[in-house]
């Protein structure tokens, strides 16, 4: 294995696995596999890039550090020459969050300084300029992310936000250096390494990310969103360590289900469009908290509507979410919903569901952890950042794990079509 990734949630892991498997023309990507948690056995020998998916974004800091270091040691044992710590392109965190502590722990273990921190993903509208993160034409704190139920982002200055979490100052390489090319970025990072462990790097386009990727070809550690991996496969291919490969068409036939637990604006819009023409089950949080809505009820609804792209969702407005959190407690609501979706997914697969679309990072983490599918093959891209995933075994399961803000309005029906065998 050449390239190892530690991802702090399951949708993010799929996102960066897709980026690495796809790569950039004319080189293509690397043979990539996604692992659900730290594997207990070696990776298959033909895997060139391995993505370890953790559910560490919102857990206690020390737990996140410990899990990330365990993933690091496993990846190093597989022979990885470069490590990527992947977090969300909207830098999902709090002032007391895990991104800074995990990044610093990985850097200390690897003896790395001047480590890139770049969450830009222009293909999904995330760009960084002068250290400030934009979502399309809005600053991060005006994009809807300020209303996130677990990681509200109220400051677009990523250098300042990251500094709340770190022991050392955070540097910045501004866009001017990126436009001057890889050599200029390399020099700026080397200069920053004298004072900074982590360095924010501006990027407003895929071309910028390719320049940054070229500049950090010999870095032991890289951190950022999936976009930061865009130029990394080419480095190994140019060195003759990999031959490059194109995404494969993967999928399976069989019954389908959609589960949505994200409250993002994009997911709510996708739910609204889908329910206009398909059967939907709205999960009432009050009924969940009081034990009236169960996994069996959701499974029955989905099985009764097979072949019609049935959707079960819990995707309230920011006001609805805030009201439920105030009534029951933020962590209690999140845990109850995660457990509901996990149990529902287990029972759906046991009942014969083989195509499953899941929306929401926390929801995807709960679902995939419950299913325990082992290594997942990376297939073609459904929408930017969301690939087809296929499990092994006698009865393969085809998955699409979508971060809340990702995907076009018709994502749900499109994803089910792409998950089918072709």
């Amino acid at each position: 294995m050449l390239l190892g990734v530690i991802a702090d949630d399951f949708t993010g892991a799929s996102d960066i696995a897709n980026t690495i498997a796809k790569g950039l023309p004319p080189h293509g990507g690397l043979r990539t596999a996604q692992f659900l948690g730290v594997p207990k056995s070696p990776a298959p020998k033909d895997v060139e890039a391995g993505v370890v998916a953790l559910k560490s974004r919102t857990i206690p800091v020390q737990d996140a550090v410990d899990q990330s270091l365990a993933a690091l040691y496993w990846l190093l044992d597989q022979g990885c020459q470069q490590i990527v710590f992947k977090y969300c392109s909207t830098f999902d965190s709090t002032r007391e969050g895990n991104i800074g502590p995990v990044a610093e722990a990985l850097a200390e273990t690897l003896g790395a300084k001047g480590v890139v921190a770049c969450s830009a993903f222009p293909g999904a509208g995330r760009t960084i300029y002068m250290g400030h993160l934009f979502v399309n034409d809005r600053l991060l704190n005006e994009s809807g992310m300020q209303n996130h139920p677990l990681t509200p982002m109220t400051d677009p200055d990523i250098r300042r936000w990251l500094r709340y979490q770190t022991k050392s100052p955070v540097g910045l390489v501004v866009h001017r250096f990126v436009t001057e090319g890889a050599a200029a970025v390399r020099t700026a990072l080397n200069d920053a390494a004298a004072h900074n462990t982590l360095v924010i790097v501006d990027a407003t386009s895929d071309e910028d990310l390719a320049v940054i990727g070229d500049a950090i070809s010999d870095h032991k550690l890289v951190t950022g969103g999936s976009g930061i991996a865009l130029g990394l496969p080419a480095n190994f291919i140019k060195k003759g360590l990999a031959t490059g490969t194109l995404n494969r068409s993967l999928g399976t036939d069989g019954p389908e289900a959609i589960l949505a637990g994200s409250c993002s604006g994009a997911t709510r819009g996708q739910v609204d469009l889908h329910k206009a023409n398909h059967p939907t089950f709205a999960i009432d949080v009050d009924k969940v908290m009081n034990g009236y809505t169960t996994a069996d009820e959701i499974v029955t609804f989905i099985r009764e509507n097979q072949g019609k792209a049935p959707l079960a969702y819990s995707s309230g407005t920011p006001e609805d979410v805030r009201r439920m959190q105030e009534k029951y407690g933020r962590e209690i609501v999140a845990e109850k919903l995660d457990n509901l979706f996990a149990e529902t997914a287990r029972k759906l697969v046991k009942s014969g569901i083989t195509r499953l679309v899941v929306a929401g990072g926390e929801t995807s983490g709960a679902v995939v952890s419950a299913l325990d599918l082992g290594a997942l093959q990376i297939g073609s891209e459904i929408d930017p950042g969301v690939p087809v995933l296929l499990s092994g075994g006698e009865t393969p399961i085809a998955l699409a794990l979508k971060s809340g803000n990702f995907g076009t309005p018709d994502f749900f029906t499109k994803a089910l079509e792409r998950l089918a065998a072709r």
Side-chain angles (χ1 to χ4, degrees), residues 67-406:
Q67 290 184 25
S68 300
L69 288 175
L72 171 65
Y73 296 137
W74 183 82
L75 290 167
L76 293 176
D77 284 344
Q78 310 314 303
C80 290
Q81 299 177 17
Q82 187 172 55
I83 302 295
V84 180
F85 170 40
K86 196 277 176 192
Y87 38 83
C88 190
S89 59
T90 46
F91 210 82
D92 293 11
S93 188
T94 63
R95 286 193 183 196
E96 301 78 22
N98 296 340
I99 293 176
V102 169
E104 287 189 321
L106 296 173
E108 182 178 353
T109 303
L110 293 169
K113 294 285 187 181
V115 176
V116 165
C118 179
S119 60
F121 187 10
R126 281 75 161 151
T127 56
I128 301 176
Y129 185 73
M130 293 298 175
H132 287 63
L133 181 53
F134 290 80
V135 177
N136 297 313
D137 63 344
R138 298 286 183 180
L139 285 164
L140 179 65
N141 62 319
E142 300 172 356
S143 68
M145 282 303 298
Q146 70 272 25
N147 298 316
H148 194 286
L150 297 178
T151 54
M153 294 300 295
T154 57
D155 189 343
D157 188 331
I158 300 305
R159 179 168 53 162
R160 181 165 55 208
W161 198 255
L162 184 57
R163 183 65 183 93
Y164 293 132
Q165 306 173 4
T166 58
K167 294 179 288 188
S168 62
V170 178
L172 173 64
V173 175
V174 298
H175 193 250
R176 174 173 64 84
F177 292 103
V178 180
T179 62
E180 292 175 2
V185 174
R186 195 175 298 116
T187 299
L189 288 171
N190 289 339
D191 291 342
H195 306 287
N196 309 110
T197 299
L198 302 174
V199 184
I200 306 296
V201 182
D202 283 350
T204 63
S205 66
D206 285 350
E207 290 74 19
D208 290 343
L209 292 171
V211 168
I212 297 168
D214 187 6
I216 58 177
S217 62
D218 295 323
H219 281 216
K220 294 179 181 178
L221 177 65
V222 184
T223 83
S226 65
I228 196 60
L230 200 63
L232 301 184
N235 294 331
F236 295 103
I237 296 167
K238 290 174 185 176
K239 293 175 183 176
L241 300 174
T243 57
T245 184
L246 299 176
N247 267 2
R248 294 174 293 169
S249 293
L250 299 174
T252 189
D253 292 321
E256 79 289 357
I258 307 167
L259 302 176
S262 167
C263 297
S264 73
T267 298
R268 295 201 312 274
Q270 290 156 353
V271 167
D272 288 343
L273 180 64
H274 194 80
K275 68 183 183 182
N277 297 295
H278 301 87
T280 55
F281 184 104
I283 297 172
D284 185 295
V285 176
D286 270 321
K287 291 182 179 180
V288 173
M289 300 304 295
N290 291 296
Y292 295 120
T293 294
T294 66
D296 287 334
E297 184 181 2
I298 299 171
V299 170
T300 298
F301 165 80
I302 288 175
R303 295 302 288 173
E304 288 177 346
N305 288 282
Q306 219 58 78
K308 302 175 184 177
L311 161 68
Y313 69 94
S314 173
S315 302
T317 65
E319 293 74 24
D320 293 335
V321 172
R322 195 174 300 113
R323 182 170 56 84
M324 289 296 102
Q325 289 178 338
E326 290 172 352
K327 185 173 182 179
Y328 297 107
R330 186 181 75 173
E331 289 78 12
I332 295 172
V333 172
E335 181 179 7
K336 197 81 170 179
L337 288 173
D338 281 355
N339 290 341
L340 176 66
F341 280 115
E343 186 180 359
T344 299
R346 271 195 303 266
K347 292 186 174 185
L348 284 172
V349 169
K350 188 176 180 180
S351 75
I353 293 293
T354 56
R355 290 183 293 147
L356 184 59
V357 178
V358 187
E362 295 298 315
T363 304
S364 294
V367 165
V368 177
S369 297
L371 295 180
D372 191 23
L373 297 173
L376 299 174
Q377 299 180 69
I378 311 301
S380 59
E381 187 175 63
I382 301 168
D383 270 336
V386 191
V388 172
L389 303 173
L390 188 67
S391 72
E394 293 182 4
T395 306
I397 306 297
L399 295 162
L401 306 177
K402 183 191 85 72
S403 180
N405 282 305
F406 280 20

